[in-house]
Amino acid sequence: MKTTDTATTGVESHGTPGGSGPVVTKTLPAAPRKEPKKEGATLNVFSHGVLIIWAIMVVMPLLWAVMTSFKTDKAIFTSPWALPDKLHFENWSRAWTEAHMSDYFLNTILVVGGSLLGTLLLGSMAAYVLARFEFPGNRFIYFLFIGGMSFPIILALVPLFYVMQNMALLNTLHGLILVYIAYSLPFTVFFLTAFFRTLPTSVAEAAFVDGASHTRTFFQVMLPMAKPGLISVGIFNFLGQWNQYLLPTVLNTEPEKKVLSQGLVQLAVSQGYKGDWSGLFAGLVMAMLPVLAAYIIFQRQVVAGLTAGAVK
């Protein structure tokens, strides 16, 4: 009797003596497999728990501010955690008109919109040159921009005030736009320089072969490819410029030229005399909504821009 043991396949064959006759194949039972242990399960549970707690800590104050903006002043003090009996939209209209939030809102949109456009344009041009061209002083200029990120803006307030005064730019919106651009350029150049280095050079070389100039190659080829990076750095600059308080407080003292952050502080300070707490929360929610909307709309592009430079 001839027996062939195939332990690897789990099959056992039997034949008759002399190698003739029917062959009987017997399937052996497979060995039980051990399920792999879930590695890192405890760490995943801990990390998810921390994220949930953090989300609650961030979302709850926002929801409470929105809820409070629809209450009356009496309800805010008597039942601060209860839902409003009805939606008091007059709080929003009062803050928009009587507290001049509409004027502050318009000034903020003009300043932030102009400074954001100028920052992205100048920052992308400088970052493209620093990332794509080798020339004497390239690294020195790059490190100058990085040094600007570490310089505290509070130390430059006094000389900046006199420079703006000598140039007749105090209490003007265009002067504040120029200051915002200069304040945001170091981080923008630092971020976009690393991003432009990850873009393929073959596309730019093909454009040069086709006869495109450096300007046309930048605006029509490289800049569209850098769209995720532009959106990411644009959101960061938008958040910083929208919530900026120190620079406009020093450089803008006229009431009609104030921005939203100054208007909110003025509205909060006046509570000691008026007690319009419902209007204060309404104005606070007005200031938060554009920032939340911008991040919700562009959150995918922000994540894509942050991760695009990780892999070439």
Side-chain angles (χ1 to χ4, degrees):
M1 184 175 180
K2 183 179 180 181
T3 303
T4 304
D5 188 7
T6 56
T8 57
T9 60
V11 177
E12 184 179 351
S13 300
H14 300 276
T16 58
S20 61
V23 179
V24 180
T25 304
K26 182 180 179 181
T27 304
L28 299 177
R33 296 182 178 180
K34 296 182 179 180
E35 296 183 359
K37 296 181 179 180
K38 296 181 179 180
E39 298 180 358
T42 305
L43 182 60
N44 290 335
V45 172
F46 177 75
S47 60
H48 282 76
V50 172
L51 290 176
I52 292 174
I53 295 174
W54 179 258
I56 294 175
M57 294 175 60
V58 172
V59 173
M60 286 302 296
L62 298 179
L63 295 179
W64 183 78
V66 174
M67 180 184 67
T68 308
S69 66
F70 293 103
K71 290 183 175 182
T72 61
D73 291 342
K74 181 180 179 180
I76 291 176
F77 289 98
T78 56
S79 54
W81 299 107
L83 294 175
D85 53 353
K86 67 175 183 177
L87 300 180
H88 295 272
F89 288 101
E90 63 271 12
N91 299 336
W92 289 58
S93 61
R94 186 172 64 255
W96 185 257
T97 56
E98 296 181 9
H100 305 287
M101 293 296 294
S102 57
D103 298 333
Y104 304 146
F105 207 90
L106 178 60
N107 292 339
T108 306
I109 291 178
L110 293 176
V111 172
V112 174
S115 60
L116 195 61
L117 181 62
T119 301
L120 293 180
L121 178 62
L122 298 177
S124 60
M125 294 171 66
Y128 176 73
V129 172
L130 293 174
R132 292 291 179 175
F133 297 95
E134 293 292 338
F135 57 89
N138 181 300
R139 302 300 296 173
F140 177 73
I141 297 175
Y142 176 71
F143 285 118
L144 278 181
F145 279 108
I146 295 180
M149 295 173 55
S150 60
F151 189 80
I153 190 62
I154 193 172
L155 296 180
L157 287 179
V158 174
L160 180 61
F161 178 86
Y162 286 107
V163 169
M164 298 286 288
Q165 187 180 44
N166 295 333
M167 298 177 65
L169 293 176
L170 283 179
N171 300 317
T172 60
L173 296 182
H174 57 277
L176 198 59
I177 290 174
L178 294 177
V179 174
Y180 276 18
I181 293 175
Y183 173 75
S184 305
L185 268 181
F187 173 74
T188 304
V189 173
F190 168 75
F191 187 95
L192 291 180
T193 300
F195 192 88
F196 275 117
R197 287 173 180 168
T198 63
L199 299 181
T201 58
S202 57
V203 180
E205 293 173 354
F208 291 140
V209 171
D210 291 339
S213 62
H214 288 288
T215 303
R216 185 176 180 182
T217 301
F218 171 73
F219 284 103
Q220 295 187 1
V221 178
M222 303 304 293
L223 201 59
M225 294 175 61
K227 182 180 177 181
L230 291 173
I231 294 178
S232 297
V233 75
I235 291 295
F236 290 134
N237 287 327
F238 173 76
L239 295 177
Q241 294 174 3
W242 185 271
N243 297 321
Q244 182 60 242
Y245 174 73
L246 186 60
L247 288 175
T249 300
V250 175
L251 303 177
N252 260 359
T253 56
E254 295 184 2
E256 63 272 10
K257 299 296 178 62
K258 289 185 177 181
V259 295
L260 196 58
S261 58
Q262 293 175 282
L264 286 176
V265 173
Q266 181 177 347
L267 186 61
V269 172
S270 65
Q271 301 314 304
Y273 304 97
K274 297 181 181 179
D276 189 8
W277 297 100
S278 56
L280 173 62
F281 280 99
L284 179 64
V285 175
M286 289 180 190
M288 292 191 303
L289 287 180
V291 178
L292 293 176
Y295 187 78
I296 292 174
I297 294 173
F298 296 105
Q299 61 177 339
R300 292 181 180 272
Q301 289 81 353
V302 170
V303 176
L306 293 176
T307 58
V311 180
K312 290 188 179 182

